[in-house]
Amino acid sequence: MARFPDIRPGISLKPYTTLKAGGAAEWFVVARGLDELALAAEWSQGRGQNTTVLGSGSNILPSDEGVPGLTLLNRATRIDIRGNGEIIAETGCAFQELFLKAAQAGLHGLEFAVGIPGTLGGALVSNAGAYRSCVSEFLTRLEIVVEGRREWVPPSYLEFSYRDSLLRKPNPPQVVVLRVEMVLPRGEAKQIYDEAREYQRQRIGKQPPSPSAGSFFKNVTDTAFAQSLDGLPAPLRAAGVVPAGFLIEAAGLKGFSFGGAEMGRRHANFIVNLRNATAFDIYRLAQIVKHRVQDRFGVLLEEEVLYLGDWSRLAEP
């Protein structure tokens, strides 16, 4: 039987985020396995607490005011490769590790995961993907804790769409995803690794060395808008995809800074923490960028990064 994990108050979340910013969790638990994760989620939901799950902290920004309720650090990492391309993976596993295990088994489809610095759980929240692929394509069912109960549900339960899911909605339901079942097609080993190396090569050229959350804003999908933009590469115009970094750079905001936070100089869709930036600095910089891009192009960028905790006292710029 799993031991109930220790609950600690007032633990800073800054070390648990790739942006290295933010306040403290009201209550904090490290769940070192699947059953500990489920027990803590059931306990928290049963008491009506806000429940937040952290993996590698690569796509979140906790408020400087802190995060109320229970924050669960997910260390459930088991990956089981079964027959016929089936995989059972716990959501605390590294997304890149999941790709490597799948590739070693001759399974194709997760090559885009190379270089994504997050866990499977984080990938599910934002339906992570790249190069017109996404993780939800391969899911067959998910084990969750909801309303204090542990159960399996179909992928449709999480309402996946482009870089989005039910878990990103305003005031999302209290759902903790424990593990997933997925099926991947067989592939040829050389092609799998060649594709992965190419994705890695492209990411190395774009990602800054300073603390960041990866791509901060979602790309814009709008065929008419894409075709109206001078300088947008032809394949993107044809696909109707406008990279957020293209718009940010075209608005003259590459390298723009607020406080200790700066828009990436290597890739404009990264916010980097250069000088011990607060969560407020990063949030305020993001709002300035959104407003200026909207003024210039008439589109409102949407964050990939999730804001945790209370931001209500921050005024718009």
Side-chain angles (χ1 to χ4, degrees):
M1 184 173 179
R3 179 184 66 86
F4 194 88
D6 294 332
I7 299 176
R8 295 178 289 160
I11 300 298
S12 172
L13 296 177
K14 185 175 179 179
Y16 299 103
T17 72
T18 59
L19 274 165
K20 304 304 178 190
E26 182 180 5
W27 299 99
F28 186 79
V29 162
V30 180
R32 293 178 173 83
L34 186 72
D35 290 336
E36 283 193 12
L37 180 64
L39 277 173
E42 290 165 359
W43 178 87
S44 182
Q45 291 177 2
R47 284 156 180 77
Q49 290 196 87
N50 180 70
T51 309
T52 301
V53 182
L54 287 187
S56 64
S58 61
N59 212 29
I60 56 96
L61 181 63
S63 168
D64 293 321
E65 303 295 304
V67 178
L70 182 68
T71 297
L72 286 166
L73 186 63
N74 183 0
R75 293 292 183 256
T77 61
R78 182 167 175 168
I79 300 170
D80 291 325
I81 309 289
R82 302 182 178 180
N84 300 318
E86 184 181 284
I87 299 174
I88 301 288
E90 296 175 357
T91 52
C93 74
F95 198 30
Q96 182 164 275
E97 179 69 13
L98 178 59
F99 156 71
L100 289 171
K101 290 277 184 74
Q104 289 162 4
L107 301 176
H108 168 69
L110 295 180
E111 290 77 7
F112 66 86
V114 172
I116 293 180
T119 61
L120 171 60
L124 295 172
V125 171
S126 295
N127 194 16
Y131 314 105
R132 288 167 285 285
S133 292
C134 58
V135 65
S136 64
E137 295 174 32
F138 306 105
L139 301 175
T140 52
R141 58 180 185 148
L142 311 96
E143 188 180 21
I144 66 172
V145 175
V146 60
E147 297 180 355
R149 302 187 316 275
R150 186 172 174 174
E151 60 185 83
W152 286 91
V153 296
S156 57
Y157 182 91
L158 287 189
E159 300 177 9
F160 290 110
S161 58
Y162 170 69
R163 301 296 179 269
D164 203 5
S165 76
L166 177 69
L167 301 176
R168 289 186 57 95
K169 304 301 183 189
N171 301 311
Q174 294 290 292
V175 176
V176 174
V177 185
L178 303 175
R179 56 181 171 169
V180 307
E181 179 185 85
M182 59 173 55
V183 176
L184 297 176
R186 291 281 168 188
E188 194 275 315
K190 183 178 185 304
Q191 181 183 359
I192 291 171
Y193 287 106
D194 283 350
E195 285 186 23
R197 277 191 287 269
E198 176 58 20
Y199 295 154
Q200 179 76 320
R201 184 193 67 77
Q202 292 183 39
R203 284 201 170 95
I204 288 171
K206 295 176 181 177
Q207 293 180 351
S210 303
S212 78
S215 296
F216 203 91
F217 297 102
K218 298 180 184 181
N219 294 335
V220 177
T221 303
D222 185 320
T223 301
F225 179 52
Q227 292 176 351
S228 74
L229 294 171
D230 293 333
L232 188 67
L236 293 174
R237 290 165 65 94
V241 175
V242 183
F246 176 90
L247 298 175
I248 294 166
E249 186 169 356
L253 295 166
K254 193 172 187 179
F256 181 82
S257 64
F258 182 93
E262 182 180 278
M263 300 309 299
R265 296 177 182 272
R266 185 180 294 180
H267 188 303
N269 193 21
F270 283 70
I271 293 181
V272 294
N273 186 341
L274 288 184
R275 296 175 296 278
N276 197 29
T278 64
F280 172 82
D281 291 340
I282 296 165
Y283 176 89
R284 194 63 180 268
L285 177 58
Q287 303 315 303
I288 292 169
V289 167
K290 288 173 66 174
H291 282 283
R292 294 199 183 174
V293 168
Q294 186 177 34
D295 288 345
R296 172 75 184 273
F297 295 104
V299 296
L300 183 63
L301 293 177
E302 183 181 350
E303 290 91 340
E304 282 196 35
V305 169
L306 284 171
Y307 300 123
L308 304 181
D310 183 9
W311 300 83
S312 61
R313 76 178 185 89
L314 298 183
E316 290 291 318

